[in-house]
Amino acid sequence: MVMSQTKDDFEAGLSKASTQVADFSRRRGPLERVQHGLHANPTLVPVMVLLFGIAVFGLIVGERFFNAFTLTLILQQVAIVGIVGVAQTLIVLTAGIDLSVGAIMVLSSVIMGQFAVTLGIPAPIALFCGLALGTICGIVNGVLVALVRLPPFIVTLGTWFVFEAANFIYTQNQTIRAQDVEAAAPLLQFLGRTFHVGGAVFTYAVVAMVGLVLLFFYILNHTAWGRHVYAIGDDLDAARLSGIRTTKMLISVYAVAGLICGFGGWALIGRLGSISPTSGYEANIQSITAVVIGGTSLFGGRGSVIGTLIGALIVGVFAMGLRIWGTDPQWTRLTVGALIILAVAADQWIRKASA
Amino acid sequence: MIRNTPVLTGRNLQKRYGRVVAMDNSDFDLYPREILAVIGDNGAGKSTLIRAMTGAVQPDAGEIRLDGQPTTLANPQAARDLGIETVYQNLALSPALSIADNMFLGREILRGGVAGWFRMLDKPAMRKQAREQLNTLGLMTIQSIDQAVETLSGGQRQGVAVARAAAFGSKVLMLDEPTAALGVKESRKVLDLILGVRERGLPIVLISHNMPHVFEIADRIHVHRLGKRLCVVDPKKVSMSDAVALMTGAVQPTPEMMAG
Ligand SMILES: Nc1ncnc2c1ncn2[C@@H]1O[C@H](COP(=O)(O)OP(=O)(O)OP(=O)(O)O)[C@@H](O)[C@H]1O
Ligand SMILES: [Mg+2]
């Protein structure tokens, strides 16, 4: 018969086939090995840059930079960007981008303040309302991206203006003074309180930021929801065919990001003391900067929240180091700009390792 | 063979993409415990048919029945919930995720107790099961179950997708060219696996361009041409060259073949 003939022909040798496992460990050049190492561990580059930065400023500026107080001051300064950066990382992992994170954060802080101070609502309830509003803002973004299927850049560009304007309209551009917040709702300033460990000074916002980063590192790597965040950013169609409800999933990611931004609003009150509708808008660009320098790919599916924290710290270290050194603040911006481009170039190079 | 009620049927299925008619009043029948091969030229619409039968594509018109009951498959998850498991032609794997993550994507093994409420993963159990499943396919050339899928060769990826579908299928297994990228040895393993799945009592749909494979294991051959089912032939009564002639339009099917 034709068929059995064919089978015998080309599969006859199979019975004697080697059971030895194929070996892929072909020789790699040193550069290629670095590339593959980074592909497996993308946060390695930002960690090295951070250590390099601390070492360089420790050497050239010396004691004035390299002391517990200054180093922990950097942590305090990056706390808000770090918190909002977690939200931004979630969105970028889904291959999106969120320009409205700063606006959501400020709007949430304003709601907390207006409710607690102006309306006299108990502080915990006001806090909850602020967080709820942040979540709702996130859901609005998520629905527009996932259901209406508009590009995330456009959606969040639009909602950035909408949330910002709503904020000014609602508050009529009034700031709530720090002493009024302190009198009516000290809880709102809680994250700004400091405590000392030797020469090191921490705010509770720093603790919250580190806690949030660790929490989301765990969630992203050890829960089904976390793996699905990576899957939808990696290949949306494959995720859908694998049975992930991608629309629901995307909306939930934007909702969680909104909630985190609301939490950032609480930290913002702690940092400023007062509550101002004009504060904190640069958080969107700063958070994207931290995400990118932290090695998370703008194409989605690759990166980590730890990287974002490191990215924020890199910016903080360069800003602080250059300031103490006495350079023009523009050098900081120049350095950060160069780091962004380097980070994206590194990402492109690392991604080639898989091809 | 015994003609009991089909497990899965499609009637007058249609799908258009702009001016392209990918499915033109196509029918489909899958009987219990059979291996149904689907053959046809490139672009005949085989994948579209399978995607429609598994919720990945919504037909513009037509009816799908599962066990005789009219069914709408709103999304791939709906088909999976009914036990219909599919290896799509483009595999549908997430490149940056590990083999174990991919095998369990969308149906992760969760830890017991409180941890389970938070949908925490039982990673050791997932690794263990994934490894066992790949072992049955003889795919242990893979270095580590935690390796990202993008670091695998095309054939290894195909093996992962087949292992995933075979492990979870409980009603129907659909394979869209599962051996296209596989070596001789690995193809043989997949064919053995298909026969093993049939032993478990599941019917299997196998799309393939490999005629020797098709004629070796299929119980019936569905010939697809120009967006519809042209005929169904019995591999014991028809030669490979006849099947190819039907598929390419060189000859017309006899009325007996048209009956399905
Ligand atoms: N998403 C889509 N958008 C537009 N056209 C499509 C789409 N999917 C399929 N088609 C068209 O439908 C027709 C059938 O495609 P299909 O993939 O089902 O063929 P096939 O029989 O699986 O071919 P092959 O053997 O090459 O896999 C083709 O003409 C194709 O161009
Ligand atoms: Mg196809």
Side-chain angles (χ1 to χ4, degrees):
Chain A
M1 278 215 15
V2 183
M3 43 177 266
S4 55
Q5 181 65 48
T6 319
K7 187 189 162 194
D8 287 349
D9 269 357
F10 71 97
E11 289 183 14
L14 272 190
S15 52
K16 299 185 288 286
S18 154
T19 48
Q20 194 200 331
V21 156
D23 186 6
F24 293 102
S25 55
R26 85 197 145 81
R27 279 265 186 78
R28 289 190 181 130
L31 197 62
E32 213 181 334
R33 229 180 288 162
V34 170
Q35 193 180 20
H36 276 263
L38 294 176
H39 189 254
N41 274 310
T43 34
L44 225 55
V45 182
V47 168
M48 287 183 320
V49 173
L50 179 63
L51 295 179
F52 172 80
I54 294 174
V56 165
F57 288 113
L59 284 176
I60 53 180
V61 203
E63 275 293 287
R64 278 185 301 143
F65 174 84
F66 203 75
N67 63 70
F69 177 80
T70 309
L71 291 178
T72 48
L73 188 60
I74 295 174
L75 269 174
Q76 291 180 35
Q77 286 171 346
V78 304
I80 288 169
V81 176
I83 290 170
V84 176
V86 172
Q88 190 69 259
T89 310
L90 292 177
I91 303 297
V92 173
L93 282 176
T94 68
I97 192 131
D98 194 340
L99 299 174
S100 70
V101 285
I104 297 178
M105 172 178 81
V106 180
L107 187 57
S108 298
S109 77
V110 160
I111 292 294
M112 292 172 190
Q114 291 284 342
F115 279 25
V117 180
T118 315
L119 302 179
I121 295 171
I125 298 178
L127 185 63
F128 176 81
C129 292
L131 295 176
L133 184 83
T135 312
I136 291 168
C137 291
I139 291 173
V140 170
N141 283 336
V143 165
L144 290 171
V145 169
L147 274 181
V148 190
R149 289 168 201 273
L150 301 174
F153 184 92
I154 300 302
V155 166
T156 57
L157 181 67
T159 54
W160 170 17
F161 294 151
V162 170
F163 298 151
E164 191 179 46
N167 188 1
F168 283 120
I169 294 167
Y170 175 61
T171 58
Q172 298 176 324
N173 210 352
Q174 296 287 310
T175 297
I176 305 174
R177 294 181 306 160
Q179 50 268 53
D180 295 341
V181 180
E182 202 176 342
L187 172 71
L188 296 185
Q189 293 175 334
F190 170 77
L191 290 177
R193 285 194 208 151
T194 55
F195 61 92
H196 298 250
V197 181
V201 185
F202 297 95
T203 57
Y204 286 103
V206 170
V207 179
M209 168 188 70
V210 174
L212 200 69
V213 167
L214 294 178
L215 175 71
F216 273 90
F217 178 76
Y218 186 86
I219 288 177
L220 283 171
N221 288 294
H222 294 278
T223 70
W225 187 83
R227 297 326 287 166
H228 295 179
V229 172
Y230 282 92
I232 59 176
D234 201 12
D235 186 334
L236 190 66
D237 199 42
R240 195 177 74 87
L241 292 177
S242 300
I244 295 175
R245 292 198 177 79
T246 49
T247 306
K248 226 171 87 180
M249 188 59 209
L250 257 182
I251 294 175
S252 79
V253 175
Y254 278 88
V256 170
L259 174 63
I260 298 170
C261 293
F263 188 76
W266 187 20
L268 183 67
I269 301 175
R271 172 122 197 100
L272 300 174
S274 61
I275 297 168
S276 159
T278 55
S279 60
Y281 280 113
E282 61 294 358
N284 56 1
I285 295 302
Q286 289 175 338
S287 67
I288 294 170
T289 304
V291 167
V292 170
I293 294 181
T296 294
S297 168
L298 288 173
F299 299 99
R302 253 163 265 258
S304 86
V305 281
I306 306 264
T308 300
L309 173 58
I310 309 268
L313 286 172
I314 289 172
V315 176
V317 163
F318 278 86
M320 179 67 83
L322 290 169
R323 189 160 78 218
I324 297 179
W325 196 15
T327 55
D328 187 313
Q330 292 309 328
W331 282 104
T332 306
R333 291 170 66 86
L334 192 146
T335 313
V336 169
L339 282 174
I340 291 174
I341 291 166
L342 278 176
V344 174
D347 176 49
Q348 298 279 25
W349 183 63
I350 293 166
R351 283 160 57 90
K352 277 201 210 121
S354 65
Chain B
M1 67 184 297
I2 317 141
R3 282 296 171 90
N4 22 26
T5 32
V7 181
L8 193 60
T9 59
R11 285 290 171 269
N12 300 318
L13 295 170
Q14 288 185 34
K15 182 75 195 175
R16 287 173 162 275
Y17 291 106
R19 289 175 55 221
V20 179
V21 183
M23 270 197 308
D24 178 17
N25 266 311
S26 184
D27 292 341
F28 177 82
D29 288 283
L30 180 67
Y31 289 93
R33 289 177 149 267
E34 74 168 344
I35 297 176
L36 174 74
V38 178
I39 61 171
D41 279 341
N42 290 127
K46 305 179 297 296
S47 297
T48 307
L49 175 69
I50 260 42
R51 290 167 75 88
M53 303 303 295
T54 58
V57 150
Q58 299 304 313
D60 301 330
E63 188 189 52
I64 294 171
R65 284 173 182 260
L66 185 67
D67 289 329
Q69 299 300 313
T71 316
T72 43
L73 300 167
N75 50 47
Q77 183 63 41
R80 291 204 341 176
D81 290 345
L82 293 168
I84 303 171
E85 202 61 39
T86 316
V87 174
Y88 293 99
Q89 193 166 10
N90 57 7
L91 301 183
L93 298 171
S94 280
L97 295 188
S98 74
I99 296 169
D101 281 340
N102 264 289
M103 296 267 300
F104 289 95
L105 201 57
R107 54 189 150 208
E108 290 78 3
I109 303 177
L110 301 180
R111 301 226 310 251
V114 184
W117 300 346
F118 292 99
R119 306 187 61 210
M120 287 184 195
L121 303 176
D122 188 345
K123 287 208 166 183
M126 283 167 50
R127 286 203 188 95
K128 182 164 164 287
Q129 287 194 23
R131 201 174 294 120
E132 286 169 5
Q133 201 56 37
L134 290 177
N135 268 331
T136 60
L137 265 183
L139 277 170
M140 275 330 282
T141 47
I142 286 165
Q143 293 151 317
S144 152
I145 209 78
D146 295 318
Q147 223 175 315
V149 160
E150 66 197 351
T151 63
L152 300 177
S153 77
Q156 291 173 322
R157 289 181 207 191
Q158 204 152 32
V160 170
V162 171
R164 171 170 77 170
F168 289 101
S170 61
K171 182 97 190 157
V172 173
L173 183 60
M174 304 251 194
L175 306 165
D176 195 346
E177 304 194 23
T179 58
L182 295 185
V184 175
K185 190 170 89 181
E186 287 77 9
S187 295
R188 177 57 42 202
K189 296 263 190 205
V190 169
L191 296 186
D192 290 345
L193 180 93
I194 292 173
L195 294 169
V197 170
R198 202 232 327 242
E199 280 306 299
R200 261 166 43 200
L202 305 197
I204 293 130
V205 179
L206 170 69
I207 298 182
S208 179
H209 291 292
N210 185 321
M211 289 301 142
H213 285 168
V214 165
F215 273 76
E216 184 190 335
I217 69 165
D219 298 309
R220 296 190 307 136
I221 299 174
H222 166 140
V223 182
H224 211 74
R225 180 165 166 73
L226 302 176
K228 58 165 71 101
R229 179 170 74 182
L230 178 71
C231 60
V232 179
V233 298
D234 183 338
K236 287 184 279 304
K237 295 185 187 148
V238 171
S239 73
M240 282 190 215
S241 52
D242 290 343
V244 172
L246 284 166
M247 175 176 126
T248 53
V251 298
Q252 293 301 312
T254 63
E256 184 207 355
M257 293 171 175
M258 301 285 277

